[in-house]
Amino acid sequence: MSESAAAIDKLRAELVNLGAAEAYDVGDEATLSVWIGLVVRYRDGYFRWREGAVNRRHQGNDPVGCAVRVARRYAELREHVPPWWDGPAAVQRGDAAEAHP
């Protein structure tokens, strides 16, 4: 297992413990889709994601701390789901995404 796959697996496990059970690996062993517009990548020893125009990062050797930050943002996004999301999500993501936002 690669370093990035191991880091993403640890992050996903921590996110599940914090209630973000919908998070899933997109298949490249380095990217975890958590929620609408919240995608975390592992690269060069850091977890990285964007929040609007701001780039965020967290040390790759601290999946627990990163999971806390990402879970906090996940909860905010769940509270304020854009009303336009359902239609485009079905068209753009298709059946492959299943129930994952």
Side-chain angles (χ1 to χ4, degrees):
M1 179 179 281
S2 69
E3 176 187 0
S4 58
I8 288 294
D9 283 348
K10 288 176 186 175
L11 178 62
R12 184 180 184 289
E14 293 299 330
L15 284 168
V16 167
N17 288 336
L18 293 170
E22 294 90 356
Y24 64 97
D25 184 339
V26 300
D28 66 358
E29 296 188 347
T31 308
L32 190 68
S33 178
V34 182
W35 186 252
I36 303 165
L38 183 56
V39 177
V40 181
R41 290 175 180 81
Y42 181 84
R43 184 172 45 101
D44 301 328
Y46 288 94
F47 294 107
R48 300 167 190 267
W49 68 98
R50 287 184 66 102
E51 292 182 23
V54 179
N55 291 317
R56 303 282 184 202
R57 74 178 190 175
H58 194 92
Q59 286 286 337
N61 62 357
D62 182 22
V64 175
C66 182
V68 168
R69 291 178 68 189
V70 171
R72 185 179 308 126
R73 182 66 180 136
Y74 165 80
E76 292 169 359
L77 289 169
R78 294 273 313 209
E79 285 181 29
H80 305 288
V81 176
W84 50 263
W85 175 250
D86 290 334
V91 173
Q92 293 174 1
R93 300 182 75 208
D95 296 334
E98 298 172 2
H100 300 291

